[in-house]
């Protein structure tokens, strides 16, 4: 009897077939606007011809669907031709391409972001701004374009005090973003702002509400206090870096961003509460529309917020708030077309693609999975589980392509976190609404939101501990097809899994096993590797194979967790020797991971004493080992590895406050050649021109097969040093989208002109070099 009830329940939840008629138009708009935003005449001409061809085909077949595609494509091409003309004639683009200095009047908009100085990284501040006027080279330009405004160093404190909506004036340097990025024009402040006009009453009111939300959560613990504003309005300014990293590893970062999936969870919770109170029909739709408007206003109505609102409404339809399955697909297609025409650069936005895929997953699968789960649990809990599961499976292939990782913990973490997100976000909004009129009530709501937020923090903390929390995965076609096939397979079997508790339990055990012993990504690591440049973000960490399951570590990167992941992926049991080129945080902070439980016997360093914080960190981490200072001419043999110290410029200096580092500290790096059978590697830490000049002048033989480009490929390079390496391969160990502009274009061009093959960790993940009979073979994670 029980079995027959389950079968009939499954039959009851079979959905109507989706209405796919607008899918071609949505794809045409997305692809067409992607082409249009490139503003390349050749592509625009091809797109225009394609649109005309669709028009002729529509006329011959008398098909309104094909006619819709033709209209959409031609509309995209018209937008593209307009952008091309604008780029050719806009004086602002011309000034930005020449990096002109100007006096600008701007209105700060959106949600500013900032960060404190960390090691070599100076303090920074970043916000969108509307450029009102610009005085440069004797001319005044009136404008209304949105630009990216930034400040660094000592100016950050003054800019961080500027409330969104304030009009300011400052001397700035203009620049252009990378092709395809938005905003196109970059504005870097060269002085503190001069306030010209306070924010409007609406902007001031929004800031008071946001400040009230932060104040209502001020009594909570450090983590929930920072997380509640992030869940509600995307205010991540108070989130500590370790919490941000835990959320990234466990796939929960989207909860702290203004995303369509997150807004959908909020609307689903609001809809459930409203129905329980008897609010139905158009009253329900109006109530939810007010929720969307409030969300957009509180989040500063940035383009990403508007996108999230549109995708959230699509998800709302998918969850059945007055809508049906076929309507949901149609709504998603209309939203895609509308968004790319309102904001064309969204067609190139990874965030937009993730929002569309997440909403598509919700549209396609969430409602049926919710109905199946509701046979065994309350519907509120079923929605909280099914919605993030659908979004996770829909977005995982793209997330892997972007990040080069598969977050096994993310699947579980999002499932467990789903029921907490809705209440935390809604209670946070209630706290924001009550913050000004009834502060005591706001504190009560914030306290309850904090309980849910604390649960999310515990989930992230627990998920991070699993070895398989985030598995590095190649972003090549074969590896991505495997991820796609796995996601499609899970989607196909999910109804049976949700209907059969035994099957669901078996899959849960498999996931737990994968978390405890993660699968190896295809092709990584290669057998018989000699050198691996670990992808540790903005920093250096190089492993030199010195014997079976053992390595010499040269620099340790900015975070112990990242180096630990690299060591685990390579099955390293012993690190008998570690070498640190200098004491900057992005080279030494991970040393704990190298030393802990790896039987380290020696740690080689330079004689530098600055920065003191870095040297003290290393001394604490290596207290049971001790430090051995190296000098020019020193030689060390560790298993298969021979280390020759070629040069070191001994200086004792203090870090420069405006740059976040000093050239003297960089130039105090050890310049070394590391030799293993069949391969020579030149490593020079962060040496700049003076340190490189010292190495060349020493007369030491700097020749090598591989050059780890100093200072992450910054522009501070001596051409004679690069040429003296005579390397065939140049490796750039650099973080993606870093704030320093590393690697510098001129540095990459310089090594290419010397005949070196360029490989970058920000583009390819960790990089392995193997020695074969055919020569040196490069293998990358993605």
């Amino acid at each position: 009897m029980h079995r027959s009830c389950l079968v009939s329940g499954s039959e009851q939840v079979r959905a109507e077939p989706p209405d796919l008629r607008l899918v071609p138009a949505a794809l045409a708009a997305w692809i067409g606007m992607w082409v249009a935003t490139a503003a390349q005449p050749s592509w625009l001409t091809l797109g225009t011809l394609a649109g005309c061809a669709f028009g002729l085909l529509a006329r011959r077949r008398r098909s309104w669907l094909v006619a819709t595609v033709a209209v959409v494509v031609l509309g995209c091409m018209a937008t593209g031709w307009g952008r091309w003309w604008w780029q050719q004639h806009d004086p602002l683009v011309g000034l930005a391409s020449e990096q002109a200095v100007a006096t600008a009047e701007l209105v700060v908009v959106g949600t500013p972001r900032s960060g404190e100085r960390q090691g070599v990284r100076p303090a920074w501040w970043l916000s969108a701004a509307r450029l009102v006027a610009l005085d440069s080279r004797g001319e005044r330009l009136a404008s209304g374009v949105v630009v990216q405004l930034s400040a660094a160093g000592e100016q950050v404190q003054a800019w961080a005090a500027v409330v969104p909506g304030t009009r300011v004036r400052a001397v700035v340097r203009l620049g252009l973003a990378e092709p395809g990025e938005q905003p196109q024009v970059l504005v870097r402040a060269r002085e503190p702002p001069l306030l010209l006009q306070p924010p409007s009453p609406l902007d001031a009111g929004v800031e008071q509400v946001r400040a009230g939300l932060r104040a209502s959560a001020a009594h909570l613990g450090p983590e929930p206090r920072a997380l509640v504003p992030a869940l509600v309005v995307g205010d991540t300014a108070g989130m500590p870096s370790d919490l941000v990293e835990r959320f990234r590893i466990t796939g929960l970062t989207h909860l702290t961003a203004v995303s369509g999936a997150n807004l959908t969870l909020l609307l689903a919770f609001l809809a459930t509460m409203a129905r329980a109170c008897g609010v139905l029909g158009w009253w329900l739709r109006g109530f939810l529309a007010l929720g969307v408007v409030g969300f957009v206003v509180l989040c500063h109505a940035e383009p990403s917020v508007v996108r999230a609102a549109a995708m959230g409404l699509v998800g709302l339809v998918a969850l059945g708030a007055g809508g049906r399955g076929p309507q949901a697909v149609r709504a998603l297609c209309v939203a895609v077309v509308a968004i790319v025409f309102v904001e064309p650069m969204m067609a190139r936005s990874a965030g937009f693609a993730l929002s569309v895929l997440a909403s598509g997953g919700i549209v396609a699968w969430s409602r049926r999975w919710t109905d199946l789960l509701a046979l065994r649990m309350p519907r509120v809990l079923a929605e909280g589980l099914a919605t993030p599961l659908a979004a996770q499976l829909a977005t995982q292939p793209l997330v892997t392509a972007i990040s080069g990782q598969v977050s096994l913990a993310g699947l579980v973490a999002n499932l467990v976190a789903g029921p907490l997100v809705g209440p935390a976000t809604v209670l946070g909004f209630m706290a924001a609404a009550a913050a000004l009129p009834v502060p005591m009530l706001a504190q009560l709501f914030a306290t309850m939101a904090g309980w849910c937020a604390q649960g999310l923090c515990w989930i992230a903390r627990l998920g991070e501990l699993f070895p398989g929390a985030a598995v590095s995965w190649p972003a090549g076609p074969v590896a991505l097809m495997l991820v796609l096939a796995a996601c499609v397979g899970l989607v196909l079997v999910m109804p049976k899994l949700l209907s059969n508790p035994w099957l669901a339990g078996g899959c849960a055990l498999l996931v737990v096993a994968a978390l405890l012993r993660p699968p190896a990504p295809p092709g990584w690591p290669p057998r018989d590797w000699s050198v691996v440049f670990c992808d540790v973000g903005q920093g250096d960490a190089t492993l030199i194979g010195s014997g079976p399951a053992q390595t010499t570590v040269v620099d340790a990167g900015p975070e112990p967790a990242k180096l630990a992941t690299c060591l685990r992926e390579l099955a390293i049991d012993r690190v008998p020797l570690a070498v640190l080129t200098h004491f900057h945080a992005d080279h030494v902070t991970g040393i704990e991971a190298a030393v802990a439980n790896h039987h380290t016997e020696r740690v080689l360093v330079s004689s530098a004493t600055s920065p003191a914080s870095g040297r003290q960190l290393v001394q604490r981490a290596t207290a049971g080992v001790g430090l051995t200072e190296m000098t020019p001419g020193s030689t060390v043999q560790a298993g298969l590895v021979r280390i020759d110290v070629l040069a070191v410029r001994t200086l004792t200096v203090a870090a420069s406050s405006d740059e976040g580092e000093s050239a003297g500290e960089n130039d105090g790096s050890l310049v070394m050649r590391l030799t293993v059978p069949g391969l020579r590697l030149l490593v020079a830490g962060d040496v700049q021109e003076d340190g490189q000049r010292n190495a060349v002048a020493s007369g030491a033989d700097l020749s090598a097969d591989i050059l780890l480009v100093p200072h992450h490929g910054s522009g501070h390079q001596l051409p004679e040093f690069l040429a003296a390496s005579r390397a065939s391969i140049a490796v750039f160990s650099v973080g993606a989208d870093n704030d320093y502009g590393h690697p510098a274009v001129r540095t990459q061009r310089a090594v290419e002109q010397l005949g070196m093959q360029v490989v970058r960790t920000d583009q390819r993940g960790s990089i392995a070099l193997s020695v074969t009979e055919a020569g040196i073979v490069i293998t990358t994670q993605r």
Side-chain angles (χ1 to χ4, degrees), residues 203-499:
D203 289 325
V206 167
E207 288 309 306
Q208 288 181 349
V209 172
R210 291 168 67 99
L213 172 62
R214 292 191 294 268
S216 67
H219 65 287
L220 301 175
E223 291 186 344
R225 177 199 312 152
L227 186 56
V228 168
L231 291 171
V232 178
V233 294
D235 184 358
T236 59
M239 289 187 65
S241 58
D242 58 341
L243 182 60
V244 172
E245 180 64 14
R246 282 198 291 272
F247 268 57
R248 184 194 66 80
I249 291 174
T250 54
L252 297 175
T253 300
H254 65 93
L255 300 179
T256 64
V258 184
S259 66
N262 198 21
L263 180 57
T264 298
L265 292 171
L266 166 63
L267 295 178
F269 191 86
L270 286 177
T272 303
M273 298 298 294
R275 289 196 195 98
C277 296
V279 179
L280 299 171
W282 284 104
W283 287 104
L284 174 61
R285 297 186 183 106
F287 172 69
L288 296 175
L290 287 176
V292 173
V293 171
F295 179 85
V296 170
V297 170
L298 274 180
C299 296
H300 291 144
E302 295 176 316
S304 61
V305 177
V306 177
R307 177 200 74 213
M311 293 299 138
L313 290 173
V314 171
L316 173 64
V317 175
L319 290 171
R324 296 181 295 276
Q327 290 180 337
V329 176
R330 192 161 58 244
L332 177 59
C333 294
V334 170
V336 169
V337 174
I339 289 173
V340 297
F341 271 94
V342 171
E343 180 51 60
M345 289 304 299
M346 283 295 178
R348 290 177 172 266
S349 167
F352 174 70
L354 291 171
S355 289
V356 172
L357 290 173
S359 298
I362 293 169
V363 164
W365 313 313
S366 175
R367 192 174 184 187
R368 187 185 181 195
W369 295 355
T370 297
D371 290 340
L372 287 170
L373 287 171
L375 298 174
R376 291 183 174 81
M377 62 182 67
R379 190 170 187 84
V380 173
L381 181 59
E383 287 183 345
L385 292 174
T387 301
L389 177 60
Q392 178 82 10
L393 291 178
T395 57
Q396 187 59 62
L398 180 58
V399 169
T400 301
I402 295 172
S403 66
Q405 289 186 330
V406 173
S407 179
L408 299 178
L411 182 62
V412 178
N414 277 279
L415 279 175
V416 179
L420 297 175
V421 176
T425 309
V426 173
L427 289 166
F429 266 109
M430 295 171 70
L436 297 183
V438 192
M440 292 295 292
L441 183 60
Q443 284 193 6
L444 176 62
F445 290 139
T447 299
M448 292 187 288
W451 294 339
C452 298
Q454 184 63 71
L456 295 174
C457 295
W458 286 337
I459 291 169
R461 188 180 294 273
L462 180 62
E464 180 195 29
L465 299 178
F466 288 101
V471 178
S472 297
W473 198 264
V478 175
L480 290 179
M481 287 301 295
L482 288 176
V483 176
L484 179 62
C487 291
V488 170
L490 284 173
V491 168
L492 293 176
V493 303
M494 193 59 65
K496 285 191 175 183
L497 290 178
L498 299 180
S499 300

Side-chain angles (χ1 to χ4, degrees), residues 681-716:
L681 168 66
L682 182 62
V683 176
D686 281 351
V687 291
Q688 300 181 185
E689 293 95 336
D690 286 345
Q692 294 175 20
R693 188 175 292 109
N694 176 69
V696 172
S698 70
D701 179 10
L702 301 176
S703 62
D705 303 300
I706 315 296
L707 170 65
L708 178 59
V709 182
H711 202 194
H712 321 290
S714 76
H716 296 286

Side-chain angles (χ1 to χ4, degrees), residues 603-639:
V603 177
L604 310 182
V605 299
S606 73
S607 59
T609 58
S610 176
S613 59
R615 189 174 183 98
Q616 291 167 3
L617 182 151
V618 173
Q619 289 172 336
R620 288 194 301 270
T622 60
V625 179
L627 306 180
T628 301
E629 295 185 356
M630 304 297 289
T631 57
S634 300
T635 298
V636 174
Q637 188 77 36

